[in-house]
Amino acid sequence: METVSDTAVGPAEPVRRRRGLTSVEVLCAILLIAILGQSWLQTTLDVPALRTGATVFVAVCVQAMPFLVLGVLISGGIAAFVPARVLRRILPRKENAAVGVAGLAGVALPGCECASVPVARRLIGQGVAPAAALTFLLAAPAVNPVVLVATAVAFPGEPGMVLARFLGSLATAMVMGWLWARWGKLEWIAERALRRMPDVAVGNRWRTFAETARADLVDAGGFLVLGALISAAMGVLVPGEWFSALGEQIVLGILVMAVLAVLLALCSEADAFVAASLSALPLLPKLVFLVVGPAIDVKLFALQAGTFGRSFALRFAPVTFVVAISCAVLAGWLVLGGVR
């Protein structure tokens, strides 16, 4: 009878799993390479165009970041501590009048575009008329004090830009609300968006505040960095003659800036600094950029489609785009005196 020696049988060795690289390790490796190759990098990157682009990028981020942080803190506070029933109580029962009050409420209850979509969803779930909720959705990220102060800082010496942005954005929100009150249909909104939503529990309010502010900061900060990079690249790679041509072809300039606002999807607390960096353009195309961006962009379209349904977004977004351009041009002609 064979015996098995003690050396043949032993505790099973643990299975070693391959460990992938983490983002921290990648960052440390990049920093180490940068330190070791510092002399070579200084020689290679010592190009006037890169220095100019880096200056524009840093300037846009540094100027916009305080307003971005303030905006997401206010947005988190509203989500956690301002129940949707507060607005429902102060809104008039007549739908047309409720649209006007909801538009002005955006001044007192600021929030970024990403936060305004779930807030509007909560308002509808609490029984607020959809026209008023959609008006608030468009007004809150565009006419609040944080955005207006940021616009004033980005355009020193041009107080008309602040007033024109306020009037153009408020008009966009209210016109869209009245259009929905006249022709909108509830069957265009997904059934899930019409269900009543529970209020935030008292014990979870600080957690809701922290999570909302953190999520908004991460999302909006990423778009800010992207916008600053594109702004720096445009300032370096795009010849100045192109911007001069857009300034002379005002209709083309307006359309290009409107489409750019949709594609860049910047946070409303930071978009004024990106627009101001395009110094070769007149004020009117910049104003269109500032009015269209908070009203409709690619991320807002995705949020609206996911929250209210694709049928709603496919109707609401194109009309908002046209209305925002029209209101911005009208506000520009009235306040700025035309093309400047």
Side-chain angles (χ1 to χ4, degrees), residues 273-287:
F273 299 96
V274 175
S277 67
L278 306 176
S279 56
L281 283 177
L283 291 180
L284 186 57
K286 295 179 183 179
L287 176 63

Side-chain angles (χ1 to χ4, degrees), residues 4 37 81 94 127 134 139 141 157 190 214 216:
V4 180
F81 303 109
K94 292 185 178 181
L134 297 177
R214 181 192 59 81
D216 288 350

Side-chain angles (χ1 to χ4, degrees), residues 107-180:
V107 179
L109 297 176
C112 71
E113 299 94 316
C114 300
S116 66
V117 175
V119 170
R121 156 75 176 89
R122 180 173 290 275
L123 290 175
I124 294 176
Q126 291 287 356
V128 173
L134 297 177
T135 301
F136 180 80
L137 180 150
L138 296 176
V143 300
N144 66 71
V146 178
V147 171
L148 297 179
V149 171
T151 305
V153 173
F155 291 92
E158 292 290 348
M161 281 293 289
V162 180
L163 178 59
R165 181 176 192 177
F166 173 80
L167 294 177
S169 298
L170 182 61
T172 299
M174 295 177 66
V175 168
M176 287 303 301
W178 285 324
L179 289 177
W180 180 270

Side-chain angles (χ1 to χ4, degrees), residues 243-263:
F243 289 109
S244 300
L246 287 179
E248 296 173 358
Q249 301 291 331
I250 191 62
V251 175
L252 180 61
I254 288 173
L255 293 177
V256 169
M257 291 301 289
V259 173
L260 194 62
V262 174
L263 296 179

